[in-house]
Amino acid sequence: MVAAVWAELYGTRHLGAIRSMSVSIVVLATTLSPGLFGWLLDRGGSFDGIAMGSAVGVLAAGLLTVPAMRAKA
């Protein structure tokens, strides 16, 4: 479903490059997050604080898509 949305937004000409970049970002985040969360826990961070910070990050990322979607429309 995501590839279909990308094809609608960006066309099919650069679909491979867009998919490649997005998968690379997901792999990088998956690689870095356990180390980052472990480091935060070692520094005295609480599970609640880390979860709240993660939720804020997801919300911020979602809000950053709004201007991009308006620019494409």
Side-chain angles (χ1 to χ4, degrees):
M1 188 166 145
V2 173
V5 172
W6 287 334
E8 287 293 321
L9 290 175
Y10 305 112
T12 57
R13 183 173 181 179
H14 300 291
L15 191 57
I18 293 168
R19 181 172 169 83
S20 173
M21 179 61 76
S22 67
V23 169
S24 297
I25 291 169
V26 168
V27 169
L28 180 65
T30 302
T31 302
L32 294 177
S33 62
L36 175 63
F37 290 172
W39 181 78
L40 289 170
L41 288 171
D42 287 345
R43 296 282 181 191
S46 67
F47 285 109
D48 292 339
I50 293 171
M52 187 61 78
S54 297
V56 168
V58 169
L59 179 64
L63 290 174
L64 286 172
T65 64
V66 172
M69 296 303 291
R70 287 189 181 158
K72 277 308 248 186

